[in-house]
Amino acid sequence: MNDTFAFNEIHDLHVLIEDWFTGRSPVAALDTLLARFSEDFSMVGIRGVRLDKSTLAGFFAAAHGSRPGLRITIDAMTYLPLGTGACAVRYREGQSDAQGTGNRRESLAILVGGTDGMLRWQALHETVVGG
């Protein structure tokens, strides 16, 4: 595992998420999106609520096409190796709607290498920030 592999995963997942929320991806793409997360995935979102993979799956299923015009940007990535097969990535995410209204968040993701050579999201913590 290296920083390029991890950074690509951060970008690739956010493209999938943007496509999901805008409705550019078909409903059948939900399985592809959810496959990026480990079975024991957990997340603390911007409202401070912890979600597991099952809750996240329900959230995504209900939100398909709910945010037309959504744009997600990723920058300020920092790679933090955690030992063999795992890393953390700190990054800044911007979300805006068709009118340009949105928010920025600082995120920390824990990624773990799978036996298939793919990275899986193990944990994610997001905090809204100014600017």
Side-chain angles (χ1 to χ4, degrees), residues 43-49 67 91-95 101-108 124-131:
M43 168 184 175
V44 176
I46 61 173
R47 291 182 177 83
V49 175
R67 297 184 64 192
Y91 62 95
R92 189 171 37 229
E93 176 183 342
Q95 291 190 10
T101 304
N103 63 57
R104 295 191 59 75
R105 51 190 82 184
E106 287 285 333
S107 299
L108 179 66
L124 175 64
H125 191 108
E126 300 179 319
T127 303
V128 172
V129 296

Side-chain angles (χ1 to χ4, degrees), residues 18-31:
E18 182 181 290
D19 288 348
W20 181 260
F21 282 125
T22 61
R24 288 189 300 258
S25 64
V27 171
L30 181 59
D31 290 340

Side-chain angles (χ1 to χ4, degrees), residues 60-107:
F60 278 136
H64 183 258
S66 65
R67 297 184 64 192
L70 174 68
R71 295 273 301 132
I72 299 175
T73 59
I74 303 295
D75 63 13
M77 289 191 286
T78 303
Y79 177 78
L80 307 161
L82 297 177
T84 303
C87 71
V89 177
R90 185 173 288 133
Y91 62 95
R92 189 171 37 229
E93 176 183 342
Q95 291 190 10
S96 60
D97 60 20
Q99 292 74 38
T101 304
N103 63 57
R104 295 191 59 75
R105 51 190 82 184
E106 287 285 333
S107 299

